[in-house]
Structures are given as structure tokens and as C-alpha cells.
Amino acid sequence: MEAMETLRQWIETSGSIVFFGGAGVSTESGIPDFRSVDGLYHQKYDYPPETILSHSFYKSNPKEFWRFYRDKMLCLDAQPNPAHLRLAQWEAEGKLRAVVTQNIDGLHQKAGSKTVWELHGSVHRNYCERCGKFYTAEQILCSEGIPRCTCGGPIKPDVVLYEEGLSQRVIEESVRAIAEADVLIIGGTSLVVYPAAGLVRYYSGDKLVVINKTPLENAGADLTIMGAIGEVLSAV
């Protein structure tokens, strides 16, 4: 396949790859895309995922928020798939500069990646809104109802909910990495969630690769490969 051979050549000669990924990277690890509303949501929840995962809902209906969060967002048994592993390998080899991810599952780090900019935070970081004490995802999963700190304060996951702003530092580091990349690989994302999706516009090179199961309109790709991200990267 000509496109795959081109990708191999670009990877082989690159020293500054940046990978920008979304939910499609983790679906191969068994983590569902919560935006894909199915019958399960309609059976168990009175609100769509986007409503439940909003700041205002978290504040006004915390009990229902945490029920959904534990049920759908804490997939702690999930393991890195070939995409995560190949990206970590490229970083170890000095080829990959950074991973910029919209995912909150921590699978890139679990695979061994060191420089990971998590645009939407991580389920593995939770903190007391009163005293700042840290709690793990495992502690949250084992708690019941609205999790409380030992000081009595409410615990909040360090994830960016709808209506909340992204970390300025994470944005700046992501922009810097993308702007300085010689190869930018976009995978497993529809590029519809802003402001995260807008960051790819900072790439000014001529090796923009899109790997996705469905075509992305207006991505401006120099190379497009249709397929599952894990299958494609493991074959490079």
C-alpha cells in the first residue's frame, strides 16, 4: 500500500513526531466513546452524557454525576493497545516529541509515554475542592455516593467538564509541540470538539497524517489512511 510506505518513510526520517489523538485511540482498548449514545444510556440515565458531564450538572446534581462517572468513565482495567505501545516506542527511540490527547484514561502513560499533554485532564487525578488532598481513581471507584475528603470537602475529578476551560499550560505546551513538529499524526478523532481540535491548525509542516476509520473533512491532510489507529501504527 503506497500510503503505508509513505508513512513508514516519514516516520523513519523524522526526529520530531507529534501525535494528536481522540477517543478512537482508546476504543481499541475497550473504552467506549461516551458520545456514542446507546440504549444503555436511555435505560439507566435521564440525561445525555454531555449534560451529565457538565460543570453545572456536577454542581446541581452531584449524586447522578458520580453514578454516571463511576459507571462510564472509570475503565481502570483497560490496557494499552498497539497504538499506545507504538507511540511510546517512538518516544523511547527519540522520534516522537509529544502526545497530545483528548482522552482522560491515562493509557498513554500506562504504555510508557512520558510527554503526554492531556487536554481534558485525567481520571487518575482527583482532588478535594476544600483542602486539595489528592485521591486516586481506584479510591474514587471504591467510594459510594458523593465522594468526600477526610476533611469533609467534596472531591472533584481533574477532568475538564463541559463549560470549563482547558488548562492554559497544557494548551501552550501542546501548541509549542505541534508548531515545532516535522510530522503531525492525527488519529482516532473527528476533530469536532473545540477548542482542542483547533490546535492542529498550528502545524505548518507538509507531513500531516490523518489515520481514521472515517474521512475527516477540512483536515488538510497530506496523507490519509483509513483504518483502526492501532492496526495502522503497529504495521508501520
Side-chain angles (χ1 to χ4, degrees):
M1 183 177 175
E2 185 177 339
M4 287 294 291
E5 183 56 37
T6 299
L7 180 58
R8 287 191 190 96
Q9 293 176 2
W10 287 0
I11 299 300
E12 189 176 323
T13 58
S14 175
S16 185
I17 303 167
V18 168
F19 179 80
F20 182 96
V25 179
S26 292
T27 52
E28 291 179 59
S29 292
I31 297 180
D33 181 354
F34 71 83
R35 292 185 187 84
S36 301
V37 180
D38 56 26
L40 190 62
Y41 294 123
H42 295 302
Q43 293 167 23
K44 297 179 66 176
Y45 304 100
D46 295 329
Y47 307 90
E50 288 84 356
T51 297
I52 298 174
L53 294 173
S54 67
H55 179 83
S56 55
F57 193 91
Y58 165 75
K59 287 295 188 182
S60 64
N61 200 340
K63 189 173 182 179
E64 184 70 358
F65 170 89
W66 282 109
R67 185 167 79 96
F68 179 89
Y69 187 84
R70 288 189 186 92
D71 188 26
K72 289 294 178 183
M73 309 306 288
L74 296 180
C75 306
L76 304 186
D77 292 332
Q79 297 299 319
N81 63 54
H84 299 107
L85 297 171
R86 182 51 57 93
L87 293 169
Q89 175 191 333
W90 287 344
E91 183 184 37
E93 294 172 349
K95 291 183 172 297
L96 185 131
R97 174 187 177 92
V99 169
V100 179
T101 180
Q102 296 170 284
N103 298 334
I104 59 176
D105 49 52
L107 288 179
H108 285 292
Q109 292 92 330
K110 200 170 186 178
S113 289
K114 306 298 183 187
T115 305
V116 182
W117 299 112
E118 297 170 308
L119 295 171
H120 297 150
S122 171
V123 298
H124 295 282
R125 297 188 299 269
N126 304 273
Y127 62 93
C128 172
E129 292 190 274
R130 180 183 297 172
C131 74
K133 184 176 179 180
F134 176 87
Y135 288 86
T136 66
E138 288 76 14
Q139 288 173 303
I140 296 298
L141 187 60
C142 293
S143 65
E144 295 181 357
I146 302 170
R148 293 278 176 181
C149 176
T150 52
C151 78
I155 298 171
K156 184 182 185 299
D158 189 14
V159 299
V160 180
L161 303 176
Y162 289 97
E163 304 165 352
E164 294 181 343
L166 276 60
S167 161
Q168 192 60 38
R169 175 174 179 265
V170 171
I171 290 176
E172 290 173 357
E173 294 293 349
S174 299
V175 166
R176 181 178 294 110
I178 290 171
E180 296 176 357
D182 52 15
V183 175
L184 175 63
I185 301 175
I186 300 173
T189 176
S190 56
L191 290 181
V192 296
V193 179
Y194 283 81
L199 298 181
V200 301
R201 296 174 181 171
Y202 288 92
Y203 178 68
S204 58
D206 58 1
K207 296 181 177 68
L208 174 58
V209 183
V210 170
I211 304 171
N212 213 40
K213 288 183 176 180
T214 56
L216 299 183
E217 295 182 7
N218 303 320
D222 299 296
L223 183 67
T224 300
I225 298 177
M226 303 289 287
I229 183 70
E231 295 177 8
V232 174
L233 292 190
S234 62
V236 176

